[in-house]
C-alpha cells in the first residue's frame, strides 16, 4: 500500500510538505505543489480520510434523527438530506426514534459518541430536555419541529396555513359538516394544522364540534381506527381533513368498506403529498409539503453553521400548497 512517505520520496520533498499540499495548511511553492500532486496521481495514493478528519477535529458525518423513516414523508426528506450531504462531502447516519424520548436520548448519545460534526433533529416537541442537554456540544438544525426552549436553526413548514388551505377548499365546495383526523397532540405540526383548518371554517361562519375531531398517530392503521370512531360519534359529515396522507388512506379504506363513495358521498383532503397519494382511488387531494426544500435547506443551514462564525439562530418557514386531485367534490344539495 502506498504511504505518504512513498509520495514524499517520489516527489523529492519532505512528508510535511506533502501533508501541507494535501491539507492546504501552509503555503507551498506552486512548482513544488505540482510535483507533489503528480506524485500522488502517479502512485495512486489514497490518503486515510478518516485519520485526516480526526486530526482536524471532524468526521464528515451528520446525524439525522426522525420519528419514523417508514413514513414516506420522512423517507423522502431523509433522502434529500442524504443527497445534499453527499454533495457537501458528508455522510448521514439515520436513526428512528418512534416518538420515544428514551430512544431519542439513547440515539443522541450514540451519535455524540461517534463524534458527528452536526445534527438534524426531527424529534418530539415535548422532548426538549433530551435535545437541549446536548447543546451546544454540536451544531444542530431542527427539522419540521419547534422546540421553543432551545436556540438553534430550524426549517419549518407553515402547518397553520396548510390547514387553512384545506379548510378553505372544502368550504368553497359547499361542505358544512366536517370531520378531522388529527395526529399526535404532542407534535407541533398536528395542532397547527387543526388550528388553521378551524380558522377557515370560522371565517365562513361554521364550527367544528369536539366530537368531530379524533386524534391518531400519523399511521395508516391509526387512520382506519380513527375513521371508524369518527363515523360513530359524528354522523352526517360530508368532508374529512386528515392531518397526513397515511391516515387519509386508512380512512379511505373504511369508507370503501362501508360502501360510501368518494368523493360523491365524502370528500377527503390529506396532508404531505407523499408519492402514494396519486396511487389511491380516487387520487388524493392533499396539502403538499416542499420536501426537497426542507431537506436541502436543513443541510445548507448546517453547513453554514459548521463553516462559519457564531451567528444568531435562523428560522426558515416554508409554504405548503394545495394539490387538487379527485378525492373532493362539491357537497350534494
Amino acid at each position: 500500500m502506498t504511504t505518504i512517505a512513498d509520495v514524499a520520496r517520489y516527489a523529492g520533498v519532505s512528508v510535511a510538505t506533502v501533508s501541507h499540499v494535501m491539507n492546504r495548511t501552509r503555503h507551498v511553492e506552486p512548482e513544488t505543489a505540482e510535483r507533489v500532486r503528480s506524485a500522488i496521481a502517479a502512485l495512486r495514493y489514497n490518503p486515510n480520510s478518516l485519520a485526516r478528519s480526526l486530526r482536524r477535529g471532524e468526521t464528515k458525518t451528520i446525524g439525522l434523527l426522525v420519528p419514523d423513516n417508514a413514513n414516506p414523508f420522512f423517507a423522502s426528506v431523509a433522502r434529500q438530506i442524504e443527497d445534499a450531504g453527499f454533495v457537501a462531502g458528508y455522510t448521514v447516519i439515520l436513526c428512528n426514534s418512534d416518538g420515544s424520548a428514551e430512544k431519542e436520548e439513547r440515539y443522541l448519545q450514540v451519535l455524540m459518541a461517534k463524534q458527528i460534526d452536526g445534527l438534524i433533529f426531527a424529534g418530539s416537541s415535548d422532548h426538549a430536555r433530551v435535545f437541549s442537554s446536548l447543546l451546544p456540544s454540536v451544531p444542530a438544525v431542527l427539522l419540521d419541529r419547534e422546540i421553543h426552549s432551545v436556540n438553534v436553526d430550524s426549517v419549518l413548514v407553515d402547518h397553520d396555513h396548510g390547514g387553512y388551505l384545506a379548510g378553505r377548499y372544502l368550504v368553497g365546495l359547499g361542505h358544512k359538516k366536517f370531520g378531522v383526523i388529527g395526529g399526535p397532540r404532542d407534535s407541533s405540526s398536528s395542532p397547527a394544522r387543526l388550528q388553521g383548518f378551524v380558522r377557515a371554517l370560522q371565517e365562513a361562519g361554521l364550527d367544528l364540534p369536539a366530537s368531530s375531531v379524533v386524534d391518531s398517530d400519523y399511521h395508516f392503521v391509526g387512520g382506519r381506527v380513527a375513521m371508524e370512531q369518527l363515523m360513530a360519534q359524528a354522523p352526517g359529515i360530508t368532508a374529512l381533513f386528515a392531518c397526513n396522507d397515511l391516515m387519509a388512506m386508512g380512512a379511505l379504506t373504511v369508507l370503501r368498506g362501508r360502501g360510501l363513495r368518494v368523493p360523491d358521498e365524502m370528500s377527503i383532503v390529506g396532508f404531505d403529498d407523499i408519492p402514494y397519494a396519486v396511487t389511491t382511488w380516487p387520487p388524493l387531494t392533499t396539502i403538499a409539503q416542499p420536501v426537497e426544500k426542507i431537506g436541502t435547506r436543513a443541510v445548507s443551514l448546517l453547513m453554514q453553521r459548521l463553516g462559519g462564525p457564531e451567528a444568531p439562530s435562523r428560522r426558515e418557514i416554508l409554504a405548503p400548497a394545495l394539490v387538487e386531485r379527485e378525492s373532493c367534490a362539491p357537497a350534494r344539495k
Side-chain angles (χ1 to χ4, degrees):
M1 178 183 290
T2 303
T3 67
I4 191 172
D6 296 328
V7 174
R9 281 193 295 271
Y10 192 98
V13 298
S14 68
V15 169
T17 299
V18 176
S19 177
H20 289 313
V21 171
M22 291 191 304
N23 298 311
R24 299 179 183 178
T25 49
R26 199 176 70 186
H27 174 72
V28 177
E29 290 298 325
E31 182 181 344
T32 304
E34 183 57 35
R35 288 209 318 273
V36 170
R37 284 190 285 268
S38 296
I40 290 173
L43 297 176
R44 297 183 180 180
Y45 175 54
N46 184 21
N48 188 328
S49 59
L50 176 58
R52 289 170 58 198
S53 294
L54 289 173
R55 285 196 297 272
R56 296 177 185 175
E58 60 184 19
T59 59
K60 290 295 182 179
T61 56
I62 297 170
L64 171 61
L65 197 152
V66 299
D68 181 12
N69 194 52
N71 183 320
F73 168 72
F74 285 111
S76 298
V77 171
R79 182 53 192 261
Q80 293 295 331
I81 289 172
E82 181 184 6
D83 290 347
F86 185 82
V87 170
Y90 287 77
T91 54
V92 176
I93 302 174
L94 173 64
C95 302
N96 287 277
S97 71
D98 296 317
S100 163
E102 181 181 357
K103 289 188 73 172
E104 283 182 2
E105 186 165 14
R106 180 75 61 84
Y107 275 132
L108 288 172
Q109 289 171 349
V110 169
L111 291 172
M112 295 302 108
K114 291 185 177 297
Q115 300 182 353
I116 58 172
D117 295 329
L119 173 68
I120 298 176
F121 183 83
S124 301
S125 299
D126 64 343
H127 300 162
R129 176 190 60 79
V130 175
F131 182 67
S132 59
S133 67
L134 295 165
L135 299 174
S137 60
V138 63
V141 175
L142 284 175
L143 184 71
D144 200 39
R145 298 289 188 273
E146 284 197 272
I147 300 178
H148 298 288
S149 60
V150 296
N151 185 32
V152 296
D153 297 333
S154 57
V155 179
L156 309 168
V157 172
D158 192 342
H159 296 291
D160 178 279
H161 183 62
Y164 177 81
L165 291 175
R168 189 176 64 178
Y169 179 67
L170 291 172
V171 168
L173 291 174
H175 293 280
K176 299 186 182 300
K177 290 189 176 182
F178 308 88
V180 174
I181 299 178
R185 286 293 176 100
D186 62 357
S187 72
S188 60
S189 56
S190 180
R193 293 171 190 178
L194 176 59
Q195 177 178 289
F197 186 80
V198 170
R199 180 160 53 88
L201 269 55
Q202 290 174 339
E203 288 182 0
L206 302 169
D207 64 349
L208 184 71
S211 59
S212 295
V213 180
V214 176
D215 292 330
S216 190
D217 57 4
Y218 280 153
H219 293 114
F220 176 85
V221 174
R224 288 180 56 89
V225 173
M227 192 68 222
E228 295 281 7
Q229 181 180 343
L230 194 59
M231 294 188 73
Q233 66 190 40
I237 63 174
T238 63
L240 173 72
F241 173 46
C243 284
N244 84 339
D245 289 344
L246 285 180
M247 295 190 300
M249 293 174 186
L252 189 59
T253 63
V254 171
L255 295 169
R256 186 179 297 119
R258 293 195 176 203
L260 294 174
R261 299 188 305 276
V262 176
D264 295 341
E265 296 174 276
M266 181 77 72
S267 290
I268 301 180
V269 176
F271 204 111
D272 284 343
D273 195 26
I274 62 176
Y276 303 133
V278 297
T279 67
T280 62
W281 186 256
L284 186 64
T285 293
T286 187
I287 305 299
Q289 298 205 64
V291 170
E292 183 175 353
K293 286 185 179 179
I294 292 172
T296 55
R297 287 307 300 153
V299 172
S300 177
L301 288 177
L302 189 59
M303 293 299 103
Q304 292 173 37
R305 187 64 64 184
L306 288 171
E310 290 292 328
S313 62
R314 291 153 295 183
R315 182 172 180 266
E316 294 198 10
I317 301 179
L318 306 176
L322 174 70
V323 178
E324 296 184 57
R325 296 195 179 102
E326 300 170 36
S327 64
C328 294
R332 293 189 298 176
K333 296 182 180 179

